Structures are given as C-alpha cells and as structure tokens.
Amino acid sequence: MQFAIALLVVLAIACSIGSFVTQGQSFNQYAAQYSERAAAFIIALGLDDAFHSWWFILINAFLCCNLLFCNVIRLPQILKRVKTDRDAGSVTEAAADISAPGVNDPNDFFEKMRHSKPAASVTSDEKDILYSPKNTAGSWGAWICHIGILLLILGFSLGQFLHQEYAVYGVPGDAKPIGDTGYVLQIDGFEVGLRDDDTVEQYTADITVYDVNHSDGGSSQSAEISVNNPAKLFGMKFYQNSTGWAARVSVTENGEPLQDKVLCAGEYLAVQDKPDLVIYFNAFYPDFYVEPGNAPVTLSGKLNNPGYLYSVYYQGNMLGMNVLMGSEPLTIDEYTVVFSEPQSYTVIQVKQDRFAWLAFIGGIVILAGLVLAFYVLPEKVWAVKETDWQWTVYGSCRKGGALFKERFEEAAEEFTRQRETEDQHGSAKT
Amino acid sequence: MDLLKLENTLFTIVMLLYFAAMILYFVFVAFKSEFALKLAEIIQTTGLVLHTAALVCRGIGAGRLPLTNQYEFATAFAWGLCLVSLIFVFRFKFPVLGAFASPVMFIIIGYAAMQSKEVKELMPALRSNWLGFHVSTAIIAYGAFGVSFVLGIIFLMRERMKSGAFLDQHIPSREKIDMISYRSVSLGLLFLSFTIITGAIWAERAWGSYWSWDPKETWSLVTWIVYAIYLHLRIRNGWKGRAAAIFAIAGFICVLFTYIGVNTFLPGVHSYA
Ligand code: HEM
C-alpha cells in the first residue's frame, strides 16, 4: 500500500500541474505567457495536454495494476475475515478492545449495544459464550470501493479512446451528414428563448436524423433537444451545444439575381461567376454599437440595429473589411451583395460514448463501497460465562476506536446503574 | 411581502448571531463560563434556524434553488458548516467544537456578505435539477471537511494545553478527537464523491462530456485524492493523532482552494459559479 500512497500523491500533483498550466495552447502562446524556455519545457513534457500525456496515462496504469493486484490478494483475506467474524469459536479474550465483568444479564447488555440476541455457543476452551457479531458486510467496503475505482477508470479510459464526436451546425432547413457515420442530421427548427430582460432562457432545437444507409432508403428519428436535455437517436447522443448568428447573403450581377445562401458567421461565399472573389462573413451584431477607437459590440441580443461585419478577398488578398448596416448593399464592380434575414444557427454536438455507463456504474459502486466502509463498521460483542450468574462481556470494533469504547462503557455504566437501583428496590422490598 | 428583502434582513441577523455565538464561545473558553456556553449553543442553533429560513426565502423569492452563484454558495457553505458542526456537537457531546467552528463560520458568512447578492436569471446550462444535487452535496462535504479542520486545530491545541479539570471536562481525549475527525473526513469524502458524480452527470447533460478536466473538476478530484491519502495513511502508517490532524488542516486548505482559488486564479466553465 506504500506504493499506492506514493502513486496517489503523484497523481494529485500531476492533476494540479495540469490545472495550473492552461491546456491546449501553442508554443507561442506559452512563450508569451511564461518564457520561451518554459514554453519549450511545457511542450517537451506534454504539459500542454497533461491529462492525455504518456506520463499521466502511466501513473493511472500503475494505479490500476496496483489496485487490481491489491484487491486480488485481499479477496481471500476478506472472505476469511468475514467468515471468522461470524464464527463464535474464533473469539479470544485478547481480541477484545474492552470488557465489562460481572454482568448478570448479558442479553440486556446486547440490547443496549443494539446487537441482536445471540444463540448460545461454546468457545474453543469449552466456555459458554453468547456471541453477537454485527455489520460483518462492512469488511467489504474498501474492497468494493476499489473495484468501483477500477470500473470508473476503465470506463473513462475506454470512452476516451473509443468515443466518437462530431459537431454539426446550421439553420432550420439544413441537412448535413454526421461525419462518416452514414447518418444525416436535419435541423427542423431552432429557437432562442429570451426572457423579458433579454437574457437567454433556453436554446431549443428540433432535429431529425436519417439513416441514409438503411435498406429501405432511410428510416428516421426525431427529437427536441435543449441545453441540459439531450436526446438519444440511433444510439448517438445529441446535445444542443452552442449558437451563433447566420444571415442570408444574396449576390446580384448587374441587377440579376446570381446567388443566394445562408451563411453562418465565420463562413464564406465564393462568387459563382468569379470564384476568386470571396465574401467572408466575419461576425454579426444584432444591436450594433461602436465607440470611436474601440471594437464594435452588441448592446443586446435583440435585432434593434443589425450590423454585418464582412471582408472581401480577391485571389487570396484582402481587399477590405467593413460593416454593413441593415440591408445596405455592398457593390464590387458589377456585383452587389446584400446581407439579410439574420437568424440564429445552432451547433449540435453528436457523441457516441459506449462506455459512459461503465464509468457511471463505477461511480455508484464507489459510493456503495464508501457507505459500507464508513457506516457499516463491523463490531463484535460477546459474553463469556464466568460463574452461574456472572458473565464478562467483551467488545471489539476494528474501526470504532475510542467511540466504540465509549459506547461500550456507557452501556456498562447504564447496566451497573440499573442493577444498583434494582438491588436497592430488591432490598427495600425485603 | 418581498421575500428577497426578508432574506437580506435575515442574513444580517444570522451574521450577527454567528458573531455573538463566536464571542460567547470565546468568553466560555477564556473565562470558563458555563452560562456563556449554554447561551452560545442556543444562539448558534437559532442562527441555523434563521439561516435555513433565509435560504428558503431566497429560494422562493428567486423561484429556484438558491445555490447558483458565489454569494449563494458561500452562505450555504456557512450554513453547511453550522449544520454539520451542530450535529457533531450533539452527537459526540462536544460543545467546544462549536466554539472553534464559529470563527470559521463567521469568516465564510463574512465572505458571503462581500459577494453580490443580486438575483440573476440562470443561464441555460445552470437550469438543471442535477445542479441542486451537485451543490447541496458539496455543502455537506465542505461542512464536514470544515469540521475536520476545526478538529485538527483542537487536537493540536489539546496537545499543548496542560491537563486540568476544565479541559478534561470539555475537551475529549485526543484519541476521541482523532476518531471524531476521522468520522467527519469520512462523511466529507462520501459527500464529495456524491458531489463529483452528480456534477459529472450534470456536465454530461449540459456540456456533452461528463469529465473534461476543467480546473474546478480537477481540483475536486485532487481534494478527493488528498482525503483518500489521509485514509490510507491512517491504515497503513498508523497516521493518527497529530499527523492526521495536520493532514485534515491541509486537506481543508485544498477544499478552500477548490472553492475560491480555482474561481479566482484558474479559468474554466465553473468560473461563473
Ligand atoms: C493504488 C491504489 C490503492 C490501493 C492499493 C489501495 C489499498 C487499500 C488498502 C490495502 C486498504 C485497507 C483495507 C482495509 O483495511 O480494509 C484500503 C482502504 C481504503 N481505500 Fe484504498 N487503495 C487504493 C486507492 C484508493 C482510492 C483512490 C480510494 C478513494 C477514495 C480508496 C479508498 C479506500 C477506502 C475508503 C478505504 C477504507 C478506509 C477506511 O475504512 O478507513 N483507495 N485501500
């Protein structure tokens, strides 16, 4: 167990390092934040992705092996302990933490200790004994907790290596493939529920998933998803993940409609006749406001004063960047570009983690183990017959320590008090 | 009736009561006044009742569980510490525990008083029943770890104090303090496990991933491991008594870092909390 403790210490240190170093940055970002040498050190040791680094995995692998090994070794020991704990023949005076001599009614004592009344038995040295073990199942607590940890780490690791994750974004009406799964996600509707004070109450998307590989040409399943309410369709889980702005971009050439497409902010459109000419939709501000010298901001989420930030590229070179207010047109030679119909697009996260349940079971098993280890403390109380009317009561509780002894002493004292009053009453009667 | 105003008033009264209890406990320890002890216990219990009422008022007034921002969590943390310490005081007949817990409670509720009390509408990710389970189990866990911290301090002080009638009457043996501390760490670890698991379930529903090594998650795991180390050292190396007391104090510093330090120093999805 010494090695296990060392491993736990190392794991705690590794985790805290991973939390102090911002994860997933580039060399340059670290160099800017710390120094070039520190950045080189961080990258060389994999501290930029600490929780997936070889050394982190190694620590966990050692931990699992150690835990497994320890649990295998301890299994027969615990079985034996639970068995002997239940066996009256196994108790010895030396095993007692505490004792109370001169007890005339041991059953009463058991009751005071909240132990069930035991059946009579004999010790190995042929003395009459009343033996009452309690909570023997508690011996399994640590073992079960460790099994839970193993299941949790196993479920989590398998999930890390084998899960599949995709992000699909779009506006209502869009239908896009979900990676290479052979399924298509169609966004039927998307609503941003605003409260009176303009804060967002909920993002809700209606989705339909089509199985395009299906023999009959495509079966489908639909669901409504919102933040905190994902849905499971075709074995994959769909989460309403985030949102952004989209707008319709219409291009006309000498007044004739040429092209019309809904673009999400961050997307671009290459002009049909002239693919070298690209309109990039940088950002959208529903309630545009800019203070001279500052970057533009939006005053609210409402469409009070829509502003579209765009940039134009020709053959890869930026020609310019500006903001179009409302339906203001942008003219580039014979082309006119107009942004309209601002709307929210949704980002839907699609995930398939076939092992999350294992980690979940691990968590439940850990809880069960902890309850057993901490709240089902095995304890034994037994009474050995000394003379015809006198017994000595013994008690032991491995994890009870001073608290068990105190409870035992209280029972013994109460017992003595009770007996004294009974004696007084008895002598008064006679 | 404006429940939020009532909550505000109750909060101020509770703070004053905790302060009064702290002073009375001090009088009890310094002047060995049994009367001050009785009064302190009554005042602390009254404080807990009014504190509960304040939390209920805020919950009803805000139309949701009052456990979603730094102010609400801080006041609930003080409440949790008060509750767990009172349970331990009565369960183990250990009034001095209340005496030592009261300054910690007062500091935490003082920290709450410094936070913004504004009732904000919840962002969608926070609108989940799992959040309720997650935070309420955290309160009990933190309360229990707070109690083990206080017991650690009492243990170390008991070591230095000369035995005397007053001491022996009011402060249990070191062996017993150590056992009570072990019980409170066990309670804390069990509830911290609940906190982490319910938090993971909530994160899965809200963010699509049940564990993403966010600094707050990571630090709750570090705290969990630290207390697991405490348990193993007790068993393997017989680290009881003084070593365990020091460990319990250090463990609580970890708890406080998870609670305040992470929000202050490290970025992450929990930083709105
Ligand atoms: C490599 C890793 C580990 C090893 C080899 C290990 C080994 C052990 C051993 C030998 C015991 C004594 C059992 C007994 O007396 O019945 C124990 C107890 C325990 N272990 Fe572990 N352990 C490990 C990790 C953990 C972790 C990460 C936890 C998390 C909480 C944990 C929780 C417990 C608990 C709750 C107990 C019972 C403590 C008590 O009743 O006071 N163990 N462990």
Side-chain angles (χ1 to χ4, degrees), chain A residues 1-2 4-5 8-9 11-13 15-16 18-23 51-52 56 145-146 149 152 155-157 159-160 165 195 197 199-203 226-230 237 239-241 349 351 353 355-356 359-360 362-364 366-367 370-371 373-375 377 399-403 405-406 410, chain B residues 91-93 121-128 130 172-173 175-177 179-180 182-195 197 201-216 218-219 221-222 224-226 228-229 231-237 240 257 262 265-267:
Chain A
M1 189 149 82
Q2 208 73 307
I5 294 174
L8 289 175
V9 173
L11 185 62
I13 295 173
C15 288
S16 49
S19 76
F20 283 116
V21 178
T22 320
Q23 299 290 288
F51 301 108
H52 304 101
F56 193 76
C145 174
H146 295 146
I149 295 171
L152 185 110
F156 181 72
S157 313
Q160 288 279 300
E165 195 171 349
R195 301 189 186 91
D197 66 353
T199 55
V200 178
E201 184 166 20
Q202 188 54 285
Y203 301 99
S226 55
V227 179
N228 269 312
N229 298 299
K237 243 176 154 177
Y239 303 85
Q240 168 55 49
N241 183 287
Q349 187 188 350
K351 199 162 176 181
D353 179 351
F355 298 96
F360 178 71
I364 302 295
I366 291 176
L367 290 177
L370 289 178
V371 170
F374 298 146
Y375 293 97
L377 306 187
K399 286 202 232 161
L403 297 177
K405 283 188 206 153
E406 192 177 278
E410 275 170 12
Chain B
R91 164 104 169 68
F92 298 109
K93 300 178 204 78
E121 294 291 357
L122 295 186
M123 57 187 268
L126 291 179
R127 297 180 57 226
S128 161
W130 287 106
S173 65
E175 200 194 353
K176 186 173 166 188
I177 300 176
M179 276 313 292
I180 300 176
Y182 169 58
R183 308 295 297 149
S184 63
V185 169
S186 320
L187 179 70
L189 190 70
L190 177 64
F191 273 84
L192 182 61
S193 311
F194 266 114
T195 308
I197 292 169
I201 296 174
W202 171 39
E204 189 270 337
R205 298 182 68 84
W207 288 286
S209 166
Y210 62 88
W211 191 265
S212 40
W213 298 107
D214 161 81
K216 192 112 177 166
T218 308
W219 270 91
L221 178 66
V222 170
W224 192 76
I225 297 174
V226 165
I229 295 172
L231 290 180
H232 291 85
L233 284 174
R234 279 185 80 88
I235 296 178
R236 174 65 181 78
N237 297 21
K240 297 187 180 160
F257 185 78
V262 172
F265 303 117
L266 306 171

